[in-house]
Amino acid sequence: MIEKWTIRRSFACLPLCAALLLGACGGGGGGGDGGGDGTAKAYDATITRTSMGIPHIRAKDFAGLGYGYGYAFAEDNLCVLLDDLVTIRGERSRYFGPDGSYSIPAVPVTANNVDSDFFWKLMATDAVVANLRNTARAEIRDMTRGYVAGFNRYIGELKAGRHPGRHQACATAGYLAPISEDDLYRRYFRLSIIASSSVFTNEIAQATPPLLSAGASAAAAPDPQQLKTLLEREPNALKAFTHDKAFGSNMYGLGPQATQDGQSLLFGNPHFPWSGTERLYLVHLTIPGQFDIMGSSLYGVPAVLIGFNDHLAWSHTVSTAYRFTLYQLPVNPLNPKQYFYEGQLVDMTPVPLTIDVRQADGSTAPQSRTLYRTQYGPVLEMKVAGIPVLGWDNTRVYTLRDANAENDRLMNQFFAWNTAASLDEFKAKHAEVLGVPWVNTVATGPGQAAYYGDLSVVPNVPDSLVASCKAPLLSPVIDSVAPGLPLLQGNRADCQWLNDDDAPAPGIFGAQHLPKLERQDWVANMNDSYWLTNPAAPLTGYARIIGDEDSTRSLRTRLGIRQIQRRLDGSDGRGAPKFTMQNLQDVVLSADLYSAELALEDVKRDLCPRAGIYDTSRACAALAQWNGRASPDAIGAPLWIEFWGRVAGSSGIWKNAYSSADPVGTPNGLDTAKSAVRKALHDAQSAVQDAGLDFNGRFDTQQFSAVHAAPLRIPVFGASGSVGAFTVADHDALTAAGYPVNFGNSYIQTVTWTAQGVHAEGFVTYSESSDPGNPHYADFTQRYAQKQWLHLPFSEAEIAADRQSVQQISE
């Protein structure tokens, strides 16, 4: 049955009107947001939902488009976004008290509510908001304004009792109040710095000047080897930038030479959290004759970030480039709030901050803290196991310059892509706007070549500058944990970031110094650097801060490349050579594990049935049945996952080292003679046995979605990239229930073109809604568990054929 109804503003609904009027004035949202000229703005949108609750929003202008989007999104994910907006206003302690915490799983970082509030008060200032608003295109300002009005409309309806049983997580919360445009601009800023300043939330929020006493002596120089050992062994912020971070993605661009019908294909698959605001939301936005784009957005962003239309399709993976540099500054021993720059003393800028903290009796009390900034950015203080690695003492201090904290082009970049009329325009805007904050891009269009570019915001710090400016003692220490991250001397003018003539802003590389590649066969990226985008044409000669070259690729990257190569020559057993959409879909969800391809036969031959002194008979019996995949029907997959998790943490596990002559095939040859490898098999057997898992059980009974509440238990296939999975499902530790998945494959799209226009199929793996009361809370997840690809309707005829409901909303 198709539902259809019309919602219009009525002055008979006084409580609702009052709530919405408050929202229009910016109340409850951390700042005002007037309409510019003060005139009333009209909104009108149609929301048509198709299978799985996908909203297709149609309006006559951008304000109306944002209005429909904000309303539809609030229907599906109200509480998750509100929680994040409370956070970036610096109000977590006010609503949740001082004892809770806030996490950004994608980074990952967790801070207590108080530290989180001080960090965001310092970073997401009114000045930042004003700049983002003033530099945004008029269409973005209109969409933002409309989104806020539509979102607030739904809040007013919920508060008026219009949606019983929905959004129970926040329906009675104190922070259920209209949001403001400022909130969304803060959200854009938070997304810009997620791969840079956000990682150092605790280190920035806790930075405290040293206490001086009479006769204080200079601090002793740190022991570099001790600090290196600590950084490698203990949890710390720099580990967020390690090679196998969870925050990642896979993408293929397949040109005419790589497909059976000569038509281009694109595959995109971010590996993002299954909870929080880094979930992706599938939406279709249309202004007839002017704007037509479909794809996914991170929560709270009224533009498509990964998507497609009749002209082009694109996707992203997280880039290896660093978006910031660290600076070491000598300080005045008598006043460590001053630092030396070019021989002169410069005062740090104190930033006094106050937050409200909820007390046990429900009242609030103010709490104050002063943080500090230098000419580069915020001061930070990093301790590991209680030992200052980047310490603030009476000789030195450390600070951060973040290129994305200065990036005011993110929304303009994606709007330019959303309106691009061709792949050529898409590529031109990539280089011209240069507002992509932290991702690689792959794109193609109907019959077009496959394009790759890491044209993103990167500090203009060439290798020559690093060589002449690296800080003594600690630079090698930092580089050992975060290779390529510069730690520079901040007291010298010649160590400032450089400028490129073709860059849209000072201090960042222009497109001429950033890697890109275009080919008629294929390009791909699986979160390693640009270097091996296509092994037939390695990209070389770029600054180390962007990525590494001629070095070991991850198991996931190697499998991703192998899959393409085998499909192109037909050696993968999937029929005639080259790609179709159907065999591409089979490849990307096959759940093969490259670690098993490289090492399973060695383990079965050398370590079974006994690994020396270790009885591994149960492990070996499971591996004898295993198909080498993390597929739903696999028997023995947990045993291998546990085994490889232990092996991968050991050094020197390969007999044959990496070779430039075979960068995809090496290293290889598991050294089964190593005691650590033999012990790992025994320990994996014990882990599976102690958890009570059935050694003969199917994998679809052992791994499940962690974000869908009981009694739902939805099976999830795939494994982590560190095990060599291309089909990614990252999970918490093994429990008696199995593996709870909370990260991994998220929005998946496969896109091609026919004579009728674009044809796309895909998934939102965790479903469109995070609200258990929503009918689209788990339906897409259940479909994904069965590998039932959904055709994503784009044309008017396709939408009409799959229409489930229609809403007309206006005010």
Side-chain angles (χ1 to χ4, degrees):
M1 177 184 295
I2 298 173
E3 302 173 63
K4 185 171 183 178
W5 62 96
T6 300
I7 307 172
R8 295 194 180 276
R9 177 64 53 85
S10 168
F11 286 103
C13 182
L14 293 178
L16 174 57
C17 291
L20 292 170
L21 182 61
L22 177 61
C25 295
D33 36 59
D37 60 4
T39 60
K41 304 295 181 182
Y43 306 106
D44 189 14
T46 302
I47 304 168
T48 302
R49 290 194 184 257
T50 55
S51 295
M52 307 295 111
I54 298 169
H56 303 259
I57 299 160
R58 194 176 181 93
K60 68 182 189 307
D61 54 31
F62 288 103
L65 203 60
Y67 183 69
Y69 193 175
Y71 186 89
F73 182 84
E75 284 187 296
D76 294 339
N77 298 291
L78 177 75
C79 297
V80 175
L81 183 57
L82 282 177
D83 182 88
D84 203 66
L85 298 182
V86 164
T87 300
I88 52 183
R89 289 182 210 134
E91 295 179 351
R92 288 198 70 82
S93 300
R94 172 183 174 186
Y95 290 107
F96 306 120
D99 299 326
S101 63
Y102 171 69
S103 295
I104 306 177
V107 174
V109 64
T110 298
N112 67 53
N113 288 343
V114 171
D115 286 339
S116 172
D117 285 346
F118 280 118
F119 173 82
W120 289 110
K121 287 280 191 181
L122 175 73
M123 300 297 293
T125 63
D126 291 344
V128 165
V129 168
N131 181 60
L132 290 176
R133 182 199 301 271
N134 293 337
T135 55
R137 294 178 53 144
E139 301 95 332
I140 291 295
R141 293 198 296 271
D142 285 347
M143 289 184 77
T144 299
R145 173 170 51 83
Y147 188 100
V148 168
F151 194 89
N152 285 344
R153 180 190 190 96
Y154 186 85
I155 289 176
E157 292 176 1
L158 185 67
K159 292 175 78 71
R162 291 277 299 277
H163 305 288
R166 299 294 296 277
H167 308 290
Q168 293 300 296
C170 65
T172 60
Y175 57 87
L176 181 68
I179 68 171
S180 73
E181 291 176 47
D182 286 5
D183 286 328
L184 281 202
Y185 287 107
R186 282 191 172 87
R187 172 73 179 146
Y188 308 157
F189 176 73
R190 172 180 151 350
L191 291 175
S192 289
I193 65 170
I194 195 172
S196 45
S197 295
S198 292
V199 180
F200 299 99
T201 297
N202 293 297
E203 288 74 14
I204 291 171
Q206 297 172 6
T208 306
L211 295 174
L212 292 180
S213 58
S217 58
D223 179 346
Q225 186 55 50
Q226 179 192 27
L227 298 184
K228 180 176 182 292
T229 301
L230 277 172
L231 285 170
E232 291 173 344
R233 187 185 66 200
E234 301 290 337
N236 64 84
L238 293 178
K239 285 194 173 182
F241 305 102
T242 56
H243 188 63
D244 287 326
K245 55 183 177 289
F247 195 21
S249 309
N250 296 328
M251 61 183 178
Y252 290 165
L254 303 172
Q257 293 180 1
T259 64
Q260 291 182 9
D261 63 1
Q263 184 55 272
S264 303
L265 269 167
L266 183 129
F267 160 70
N269 177 17
H271 306 148
F272 271 35
W274 282 29
S275 60
T277 52
E278 273 61 73
R279 283 170 51 126
L280 287 153
Y281 186 73
L282 177 57
V283 67
H284 184 189
L285 304 172
T286 303
I287 299 175
Q290 184 178 359
F291 187 85
D292 201 11
I293 194 74
M294 186 171 184
S296 67
S297 305
L298 293 168
Y299 285 17
V301 179
V304 169
L305 304 183
I306 293 176
F308 58 87
N309 60 20
D310 285 335
H311 308 299
L312 54 92
W314 79 96
S315 193
H316 297 299
T317 61
V318 177
S319 161
T320 57
Y322 288 102
R323 313 298 163 176
F324 64 96
T325 63
L326 298 168
Y327 280 98
Q328 178 179 295
L329 287 163
V331 300
N332 178 0
L334 301 179
N335 180 5
K337 299 174 190 176
Q338 295 178 321
Y339 62 91
F340 288 96
Y341 182 74
E342 287 296 307
Q344 302 296 313
L345 281 174
V346 179
D347 290 328
M348 295 179 191
T349 302
V351 185
L353 301 166
T354 298
I355 64 173
D356 291 327
V357 181
R358 184 180 178 86
Q359 306 298 298
D361 62 1
S363 64
T364 61
Q367 184 171 329
S368 298
R369 187 180 293 183
T370 298
L371 301 176
Y372 292 85
R373 301 182 70 93
T374 70
Q375 61 177 296
Y376 301 104
V379 171
L380 60 88
E381 190 173 15
M382 182 171 142
K383 297 180 180 180
V384 179
I387 297 175
V389 176
L390 301 177
W392 188 356
D393 54 38
N394 61 341
T395 61
R396 65 189 70 83
V397 71
Y398 295 88
T399 186
L400 172 84
R401 183 177 177 188
D402 184 346
N404 271 322
E406 303 170 17
N407 176 15
D408 54 16
R409 302 175 307 284
L410 179 149
M411 293 299 292
N412 290 346
Q413 177 74 77
F414 284 97
F415 184 84
W417 281 348
N418 286 190
T419 56
S422 67
L423 180 63
D424 285 342
E425 184 179 352
F426 180 96
K427 293 183 296 182
K429 293 299 183 182
H430 197 187
E432 176 188 329
V433 181
L434 234 175
V436 175
W438 34 262
V439 289
N440 303 287
T441 302
V442 158
T444 191
Q448 303 287 299
Y451 165 76
Y452 162 86
D454 189 359
L455 307 189
S456 54
V457 177
V458 185
N460 194 331
V461 182
D463 295 350
S464 58
L465 181 65
V466 175
S468 64
C469 287
K470 60 185 178 183
L473 290 177
L474 285 188
S475 282
V477 174
I478 300 300
D479 193 65
S480 70
V481 180
L485 174 61
L487 172 59
L488 305 175
Q489 298 181 54
N491 59 320
R492 293 165 43 189
D494 61 345
C495 295
Q496 294 276 3
W497 297 354
L498 306 184
N499 300 311
D500 277 353
D501 292 339
D502 64 334
I508 62 172
F509 283 122
Q512 63 177 320
H513 290 134
L514 295 168
K516 56 184 176 297
L517 181 66
E518 191 166 358
R519 292 181 62 87
Q520 292 295 317
D521 54 359
W522 63 274
V523 295
N525 187 270
M526 283 68 68
N527 298 119
D528 273 310
S529 76
Y530 53 84
W531 172 58
L532 221 58
T533 295
N534 185 311
L539 295 169
T540 60
Y542 295 94
R544 182 63 183 85
I545 193 173
I546 305 172
D548 58 351
E549 301 172 5
D550 194 11
S551 61
T552 303
R553 305 291 91 176
S554 72
L555 293 176
R556 176 160 56 90
T557 291
R558 293 165 65 187
L559 177 58
I561 293 172
R562 280 284 188 250
Q563 288 176 163
I564 294 175
Q565 293 172 334
R566 291 165 180 167
R567 182 79 297 272
L568 293 182
D569 65 18
S571 62
D572 63 356
R574 291 183 171 89
K578 299 188 179 182
F579 282 95
T580 65
M581 179 175 279
Q582 289 67 41
N583 63 40
L584 171 62
Q585 292 172 347
D586 184 54
V587 165
V588 299
L589 294 189
S590 63
D592 290 347
L593 301 184
Y594 201 54
S595 60
E597 179 176 332
L598 292 174
L600 177 58
E601 293 306 314
D602 291 338
V603 169
K604 291 196 294 186
R605 181 190 64 241
D606 298 341
L607 302 185
C608 291
R610 297 183 65 87
I613 62 173
Y614 302 108
D615 178 5
T616 56
S617 55
R618 297 194 71 185
C620 292
L623 293 180
Q625 303 179 71
W626 186 41
N627 62 10
R629 298 174 175 172
S631 56
D633 61 342
I635 306 295
L639 193 287
W640 186 264
I641 291 170
E642 293 298 310
F643 165 70
W644 198 259
R646 290 160 171 79
V647 167
S650 303
S651 59
I653 63 171
W654 301 111
K655 294 177 182 177
N656 305 310
Y658 166 78
S659 169
S660 299
D662 185 12
V664 181
T666 58
N668 60 37
L670 183 66
D671 188 353
T672 54
K674 291 184 74 72
S675 60
V677 174
R678 294 174 175 269
K679 186 175 186 298
L681 187 61
H682 172 266
D683 291 349
Q685 176 179 278
S686 297
V688 173
Q689 183 171 305
D690 292 347
L693 259 63
D694 182 357
F695 279 83
N696 298 311
R698 286 171 53 105
F699 197 46
D700 56 8
T701 68
Q702 298 169 327
Q703 183 165 269
F704 59 96
S705 168
V707 301
H708 292 97
L712 289 173
R713 183 181 166 99
I714 305 173
V716 178
F717 54 90
S720 71
S722 61
V723 187
F726 187 86
T727 309
V728 171
D730 281 315
H731 50 73
D732 291 334
L734 181 63
T735 69
Y739 290 116
V741 173
N742 54 22
F743 210 116
N745 284 7
S746 55
Y747 169 64
I748 305 175
Q749 65 177 25
T750 53
V751 186
T752 191
W753 292 266
T754 70
Q756 289 71 47
V758 69
H759 178 86
E761 298 180 11
F763 298 100
V764 178
T765 60
Y766 31 66
S767 300
E768 285 279 76
S769 176
S770 54
D771 174 19
N774 190 298
H776 304 296
Y777 169 66
D779 52 352
F780 227 152
T781 312
Q782 292 163 331
R783 189 179 184 106
Y784 176 65
Q786 301 299 318
K787 299 188 183 181
Q788 295 177 356
W789 291 79
L790 179 70
H791 174 222
L792 306 180
F794 185 79
S795 70
E796 289 186 35
E798 290 172 335
I799 295 167
D802 190 29
R803 186 171 57 212
Q804 307 296 309
S805 67
V806 180
Q807 295 168 271
Q808 180 74 35
I809 60 172
S810 62
E811 68 173 84

